[in-house]
Amino acid sequence: MKKILSIIALGMCLVSCVDTVILPDDKIVDEDMWQTKSDVSGIVACAYSQLKNEDLQRSLIVWGDFRSDELQLANSVSLTNTTAYVQDLNQVYSLNILPSNSFTNWNVLYSAIHYCNLVIAKARGVISIDPNYTEGDYKADVAKVKALRALCYFYLVRVFRDVPVSTEPYMNDNQERELEQKAPAEVLEMCINDLKEAEVDALLSNTYGDWRDKGYMTRDAIHALLADIYLWRASVNHIDNPAQAKSDYEECVAYCDKIIAAKKDAHTMLRGETEQDYYLADYEDYYNSVFATSLSGRYDRTYYGMNSEESIFEIQYRYYYSVEKTLTTETNPGVLKMYYKFNGSNNGSTPYVVTTVNYGIYSGSTSGTNIFKNEEDVRQNEFIYSANNNSLSQFAVRKFIATSSCNQSVDNTGPDVSSVRPNWILYRLTDVMLMKAEALVALNDLSTPAVSEGEENENDADGTVEDDDDEAEQVDYLQQAFDLVYAVNTRSLPTGSTKTLKFSTYKDRMESLVLYERARELCFEGKRWFDLMRYNYRHISGVKYDKTFAQQGDSYVSNYSDMLTLAMTSKYSSPSVMASKMPTEPYLYWPINSTQMDVNSKLVQNPVWRASSSTERK
């Protein structure tokens, strides 16, 4: 009976999202599950399947996009709607988040972490039982789950900041389950150490020849996550610990370079193709290559629409097996309800969220708040329905929803499918290129020599300070950053366009250029709020990242007003007033869900959010 229950549990992990940990006691784990190679593979699959959970998918959109200037509630979604998600989204929109809000739930991430911990604790024992399970298999599986666990903790730190950490699986009800929160610096250091161990044994991104190359954390994916964590940590330390920040920015650049080199080496040159630094889909094929979800096409190409050549890691909803030549698809209900139809029907219902006018209409100016500044940029038409319709104040999201390219034309049709099957992309090449650009700009800032008033160079008779090497290095940092942005931007313009970016225009505002280019390239992919948080951290001092909020007392660092204004622009009638509702660092993070507070007495709530009949704040 126990073996049957274990098989049922394993099957559920492989074909659907698992909301709770299914292995209830140590007997099932010890006696029945860990006997064969397939048992281990099944629990690894369980860990990754957690990412497909519908609630988590919605949360990834809300955490990463809805809190920023990208998304707002659809006008046709009644503000008096009693649907729980609408009420919760209204709380987020008005910056009055209660701990009961469903988007404060971190259970799915910890469920994935639990499965990862199970593999790390139990898989080695299978080597002595099943001769088909080798030391190499074991190391590869542990690398997969250590990387996934690090990804989960990185999300937890960016969303909640102070979080409990568990590296051991819960085997029975007698184990201590109440854990204290760790400061984010400690959690990120653990993630970095785990990832550096995992990269040694991680599989390459061409191991399987099918969805698994982008559905598991391969070496490229581990390097992308390391680059992301280093960039985040460097941004936090940018002002208060510039030496540590400089080292972390350099690590970010180094890991980005590893990915860029690996992608270049993996590319198969086509007839007549010339060698390039970055092999990106061209202007005409960009959407079909990276985002299309049409079920017609060449399934033997794993990079048709999903798991593209540019891709690094995606949450999988389409399974193409290269050997069996079979394709299985699943609906992505999270994206379906957030970006398409919140009840999944075609009877006039709308998505929960739409994009703001700043993304829907281009400005034609290099300054200003509009994200798209060039009418030739194919991404605006491909990513947004009815782009540049000046009569609209809201625009539906087209990215992930449209099944194929609109052929560089404005698409006024609106969503026309009853189910949506897109993979959710977590890392791809252009993201990495722009992370590197961001790090280079920051390195330029840290390399600018600070000259005190009256300071003189002893070798200069006229009292001027000469540092030609530093000046050359600074210009080189900026030029390298610009070249990366230029490559990403230019592939979205028609061949021969005269409206390409100019270095002279952006030399003195390169940080802004990178921030805007990331918004154009990665919009609606759950990135924007975290980009803005890094921008915020680079401009504030006094951050105590090695301490939890509870350890800091009542004194918290103020947020960067320019970041808050940017985040609120075009989303509220008075963005400066709304920005005033987020004065200090704790407001950037979510409260801990009230249910978690009830079951873990050691948790300390984010100090600015308390449960009550109405939101109370310090």
Side-chain angles (χ1 to χ4, degrees):
M1 178 58 72
K2 289 177 182 175
K3 187 66 175 179
I4 292 173
L5 290 174
S6 299
I7 293 172
I8 293 173
L10 180 58
M12 291 177 66
C13 288
L14 292 174
V15 302
S16 65
C17 298
V18 181
D19 295 324
T20 59
V21 176
I22 299 173
L23 305 177
D25 60 54
D26 55 346
K27 290 184 179 180
I28 289 181
V29 174
D30 289 338
E31 295 179 9
D32 294 309
M33 277 304 301
W34 304 96
Q35 302 295 311
T36 66
K37 178 178 180 178
S38 62
D39 288 342
V40 181
S41 299
I43 300 303
V44 172
C46 279
Y48 277 85
S49 75
Q50 304 308 295
L51 301 184
K52 295 192 296 179
N53 179 281
E54 178 182 339
D55 290 340
L56 179 62
Q57 179 66 80
R58 295 189 199 183
S59 292
L60 293 179
I61 293 171
V62 173
W63 294 341
D65 290 322
F66 186 65
R67 292 198 77 187
S68 74
D69 59 332
E70 280 190 356
L71 300 173
Q72 62 189 89
L73 279 173
N75 285 334
S76 52
V77 176
S78 170
L79 298 183
T80 60
N81 190 312
T82 58
T83 303
Y85 276 110
V86 174
Q87 293 178 329
D88 290 342
L89 287 168
N90 269 303
Q91 282 186 21
V92 180
Y93 185 80
S94 61
L95 305 180
N96 291 308
I97 307 171
L98 293 174
S100 57
N101 192 296
S102 61
F103 294 107
T104 65
N105 193 324
W106 62 27
N107 285 351
V108 180
L109 291 174
Y110 277 106
S111 181
I113 289 169
H114 172 72
Y115 281 117
C116 293
N117 291 340
L118 274 174
V119 174
I120 294 169
K122 306 297 295 183
R124 176 168 284 283
V126 179
I127 296 176
S128 60
I129 300 173
D130 184 355
N132 292 317
Y133 193 61
T134 67
E135 181 75 14
D137 293 330
Y138 164 76
K139 289 181 176 180
D141 284 337
V142 169
K144 289 175 187 175
V145 295
K146 277 194 173 182
L148 177 59
R149 185 174 70 181
L151 176 68
C152 292
Y153 276 122
F154 187 39
Y155 266 106
L156 288 165
V157 164
R158 289 181 295 171
V159 175
F160 298 98
R161 194 185 191 275
D162 308 335
V163 297
V165 173
S166 174
T167 58
E168 300 292 333
Y170 291 116
M171 307 296 289
N172 56 62
D173 290 336
N174 296 322
Q175 283 181 256
E176 174 61 47
R177 292 174 181 260
E178 293 194 5
L179 301 173
E180 295 180 350
Q181 291 142 291
K182 302 289 187 181
E186 182 178 349
V187 182
L188 294 186
E189 186 66 25
M190 179 194 74
C191 292
I192 289 172
N193 292 336
D194 278 352
L195 289 167
K196 287 187 173 181
E197 291 177 3
E199 72 173 316
V200 176
D201 299 311
L203 297 176
L204 300 179
S205 59
N206 60 353
T207 299
Y208 296 103
D210 55 37
W211 67 271
R212 291 170 291 183
D213 290 335
K214 307 297 170 62
Y216 287 129
M217 294 286 283
T218 62
R219 190 169 298 167
D220 284 350
I222 289 170
H223 290 165
L225 180 54
L226 276 165
D228 208 357
I229 293 175
Y230 276 120
L231 182 59
W232 179 272
R233 193 171 73 171
S235 299
V236 172
N237 288 316
H238 188 89
I239 291 180
D240 294 323
N241 192 344
Q244 178 65 59
K246 186 173 186 293
S247 175
D248 283 351
Y249 285 130
E250 289 170 344
E251 290 284 358
C252 173
V253 170
Y255 279 107
C256 289
D257 283 341
K258 288 183 179 182
I259 299 165
I260 292 169
K263 284 290 188 184
K264 186 173 183 178
D265 289 343
H267 179 72
T268 301
M269 296 289 288
L270 302 176
R271 178 177 296 180
E273 186 177 20
T274 58
E275 184 175 352
Q276 303 171 44
D277 292 328
Y278 320 103
Y279 292 98
L280 304 176
D282 62 21
Y283 170 82
E284 294 182 352
D285 197 42
Y286 178 19
Y287 191 88
N288 279 341
S289 175
V290 180
F291 300 106
T293 60
S294 173
L295 295 185
S296 61
R298 294 167 289 178
Y299 297 147
D300 59 329
R301 292 179 58 196
T302 59
Y303 50 88
Y304 185 87
M306 301 180 196
N307 301 317
S308 71
E309 184 178 11
E310 295 179 33
S311 178
I312 297 170
F313 180 59
E314 302 184 10
I315 299 175
Q316 302 290 312
Y317 291 90
R318 186 166 83 170
Y319 304 92
Y320 171 73
Y321 291 92
S322 56
V323 176
E324 296 85 349
K325 303 292 184 183
T326 60
L327 177 72
T328 302
T329 63
E330 297 178 40
T331 296
N332 183 337
V335 168
L336 173 71
K337 294 178 180 179
M338 295 300 288
Y339 288 163
Y340 174 50
K341 305 281 188 182
F342 64 74
N343 67 359
S345 71
N346 284 307
N347 61 1
S349 64
T350 60
Y352 284 125
V353 297
V354 292
T355 191
T356 62
V357 67
N358 271 10
Y359 285 76
I361 297 177
Y362 82 92
S363 66
S365 170
T366 59
S367 60
T369 58
N370 289 53
I371 300 300
F372 289 94
K373 304 176 184 301
N374 184 349
E375 72 273 22
E376 293 183 352
D377 192 327
V378 70
R379 293 172 296 189
Q380 190 169 34
N381 288 341
E382 296 285 12
F383 297 170
I384 299 165
Y385 283 108
S386 303
N388 290 308
N389 184 335
N390 289 305
S391 66
L392 299 178
S393 60
Q394 298 184 335
F395 299 81
V397 174
R398 190 179 188 279
K399 181 188 279 188
F400 294 121
I401 300 301
T403 58
S404 61
S405 170
C406 62
N407 297 315
Q408 299 83 52
S409 302
V410 175
D411 186 352
N412 295 309
T413 62
D416 58 357
V417 294
S418 58
S419 62
V420 182
R421 302 176 176 87
N423 288 351
W424 183 255
I425 301 172
L426 289 174
Y427 289 111
R428 54 192 179 97
L429 179 57
T430 51
D431 184 5
V432 170
M433 293 167 65
L434 294 174
M435 280 197 278
K436 179 182 176 181
E438 186 176 326
L440 289 168
V441 174
L443 282 169
N444 175 77
D445 181 55
L446 293 177
S447 300
T448 302
V451 181
S452 302
E453 185 176 353
E455 181 179 358
E456 297 182 357
N457 187 315
E458 60 182 6
N459 296 321
D460 299 328
D462 61 358
T464 60
V465 177
E466 294 185 359
D467 199 339
D468 293 338
D469 290 339
D470 281 349
E471 176 64 22
E473 183 181 34
Q474 293 155 36
V475 172
D476 189 50
Y477 279 140
L478 293 181
Q479 184 66 61
Q480 289 181 60
F482 176 81
D483 290 345
L484 287 157
V485 174
Y486 183 87
V488 174
N489 186 273
T490 302
R491 78 89 165 258
S492 300
L493 303 178
T495 303
S497 173
T498 60
K499 297 187 176 183
T500 55
L501 299 173
K502 303 293 189 294
F503 178 73
S504 58
T505 303
Y506 292 100
K507 179 181 178 181
D508 296 328
R509 46 194 175 108
M510 199 66 67
E511 182 182 36
S512 177
L513 174 64
V514 174
L515 190 63
Y516 272 81
E517 190 61 31
R518 284 187 63 85
R520 288 186 283 266
E521 177 69 12
L522 304 169
C523 57
F524 323 129
E525 295 182 44
K527 302 283 185 178
R528 178 65 167 171
W529 177 248
F530 302 129
D531 290 355
L532 292 172
M533 287 180 72
R534 291 196 306 273
Y535 176 58
N536 179 71
Y537 275 123
R538 286 196 296 272
H539 292 271
I540 61 177
S541 62
V543 178
K544 299 179 179 65
Y545 220 53
D546 60 339
K547 297 183 183 299
T548 66
F549 283 141
Q551 295 170 322
Q552 296 181 39
D554 295 325
S555 177
Y556 306 107
V557 63
S558 297
N559 290 317
Y560 184 42
S561 59
D562 286 3
M563 185 285 278
L564 294 177
T565 300
L566 180 61
M568 309 301 165
T569 298
S570 190
K571 189 167 182 176
Y572 304 100
S573 57
S574 301
S576 61
V577 174
M578 297 303 293
S580 70
K581 299 181 74 172
M582 302 181 68
T584 57
E585 186 191 7
Y587 289 94
L588 301 175
Y589 296 92
W590 292 74
I592 299 171
N593 189 269
S594 54
T595 301
Q596 295 300 321
M597 295 295 297
D598 291 340
V599 300
N600 185 352
S601 63
K602 294 183 179 180
L603 293 178
V604 179
Q605 184 61 273
N606 182 323
V608 300
W609 308 111
R610 298 201 298 260
S612 68
S613 57
S614 62
T615 302
E616 297 177 6
R617 292 145 116 192
K618 288 187 177 181

